[in-house]
Amino acid sequence: MISTSHAAANPIASLKVIDSDVMINTMIEIDYRQLNTDTLENLLTEIVLREGTDYGETEYTTEEKKSQLKSALQSGKAVIIFDASNNHCDILPIK
């Protein structure tokens, strides 16, 4: 993760970047459209709350950050990744 306060202001910028052509075998891309609405909302909440509280100069509410992540998924700028090696799910931006 990027640890600068500027990057933390944007939930997408604070996440690791992956190359969509190079995924480790234990990582599975999950199409957000296949998730139940409640499941997606819970995942977005969990990821936003996992980030911590240093948001830089601009404070964003949990709902604003969830909306930013959801927009990134809908626009194809990010994907949901499940890592089977550690049973961990994350949303990562695509290069």
Side-chain angles (χ1 to χ4, degrees):
M1 287 193 149
I2 300 169
S3 61
T4 65
S5 60
H6 172 67
N10 179 343
I12 296 299
S14 67
L15 300 174
K16 295 180 273 185
V17 175
I18 62 167
D19 184 337
S20 62
D21 295 328
V22 182
M23 284 191 181
I24 301 172
N25 291 338
T26 62
M27 298 178 111
I28 302 164
E29 182 177 339
I30 299 172
D31 185 344
Y32 77 94
R33 296 168 292 197
Q34 299 295 319
L35 297 177
N36 172 295
T37 303
D38 289 339
T39 302
L40 179 59
E41 288 300 312
N42 290 336
L43 176 63
L44 293 171
T45 299
E46 194 272 330
I47 289 171
V48 166
L49 296 177
R50 186 189 314 158
E51 292 179 1
T53 58
D54 181 15
Y55 303 119
E57 294 178 25
T58 305
E59 292 277 337
Y60 293 97
T61 67
T62 298
E63 291 305 313
E64 289 170 324
K65 293 176 79 175
K66 285 172 50 177
S67 178
Q68 290 173 349
L69 287 174
K70 193 171 189 177
S71 292
L73 290 169
Q74 292 170 334
S75 68
K77 294 179 181 177
V79 293
I80 298 172
I81 298 296
F82 174 72
D83 186 345
S85 69
N86 61 10
N87 290 328
H88 185 80
C89 204
D90 216 334
I91 296 176
L92 303 177
I94 296 177
K95 277 188 188 181

